[in-house]
Amino acid sequence: MLLERREDFFKPFRELQREIDRLFEDFFTPTIRKRFDVYTFTPDIDVYETDKEIVIEAEVPGMERKDITVKVEDNVLKISGEKKLEREKKDRNYRVYERSYGKFERCLALPDYVDAEKIKAKYENGVLTITIPKREEKKVKIVDVEVE
């Protein structure tokens, strides 16, 4: 009887641990969603800022330049494209297929101090790099003031 109560005491903690484990598994798996028989994925991005520009790097491996679109609409940067499905080969018997494919779109609101007219994009080694220069008049001017 003492053993039974002890078992019941730990049951909620084991269930909580399973839920936490499941949450971490879900969090660290690639973002792939099946929606109406169309697979989509969300490329990972890094965004950083320097004194002169904002840079966005998006991981889109296995794609061609012609399959990627970058445009600005109402001060929103839209990166979209489609990674083609490569499983069309008949001589393969897949056991596991984890690579992502499908259409994607990432939208990022641009700050008012960038010059959207001068955006540049470069695709190399599976990474799309978008460079957005800051406007001259909006750059922070630093003046050293001597304290007497």
Side-chain angles (χ1 to χ4, degrees):
M1 182 125 179
L2 181 61
L3 187 60
E4 270 183 44
R5 275 199 284 156
R6 188 175 212 187
E7 182 70 26
D8 289 341
F9 176 78
F10 289 109
K11 185 176 180 181
F13 296 107
R14 283 193 306 275
E15 290 174 5
L16 178 63
Q17 182 64 49
R18 276 194 295 271
E19 285 299 309
I20 291 171
D21 290 344
R22 185 187 58 76
L23 178 68
F24 275 95
E25 285 173 14
D26 289 349
F27 182 76
F28 288 109
T29 56
T31 310
I32 303 169
R33 296 176 294 280
K34 185 175 186 223
R35 191 176 353 146
F36 306 114
D37 290 335
V38 176
Y39 286 88
T40 61
F41 74 101
T42 305
D44 294 330
I45 63 170
D46 290 338
V47 179
Y48 62 91
E49 188 170 347
T50 68
D51 290 340
K52 297 180 181 182
E53 61 197 10
I54 292 177
V55 179
I56 300 162
E57 297 173 333
E59 285 188 347
V60 285
M63 295 185 67
E64 296 182 30
R65 283 183 182 95
K66 66 180 179 61
D67 296 326
I68 301 169
T69 303
V70 178
K71 62 183 171 181
V72 176
E73 242 178 73
D74 292 328
N75 216 36
V76 174
L77 176 71
K78 294 184 180 184
I79 307 165
S80 59
E82 182 174 5
K83 185 174 177 185
K84 306 286 192 240
L85 174 64
E86 298 176 1
R87 285 192 282 174
E88 299 298 321
K89 300 197 168 116
K90 304 280 188 232
D91 61 339
R92 296 181 180 177
N93 184 15
Y94 283 94
R95 303 287 183 180
V96 176
Y97 195 86
E98 294 181 345
R99 293 186 298 161
S100 56
Y101 62 92
K103 295 180 180 183
F104 71 88
E105 183 175 74
R106 293 293 305 254
C107 297
L108 301 163
L110 295 176
D112 62 350
Y113 55 85
V114 297
D115 190 348
E117 300 292 322
K118 295 181 181 174
I119 292 178
K120 293 184 181 178
K122 181 173 87 171
Y123 181 67
E124 187 174 43
N125 297 326
V127 177
L128 174 67
T129 304
I130 301 167
T131 307
I132 311 165
K134 294 180 181 178
R135 288 194 190 123
E136 287 295 322
E137 68 271 9
K138 293 290 184 173
K139 286 184 185 173
V140 177
K141 184 175 181 182
I142 299 173
V143 178
D144 289 329
V145 177
E146 188 176 327
V147 179
E148 295 179 19

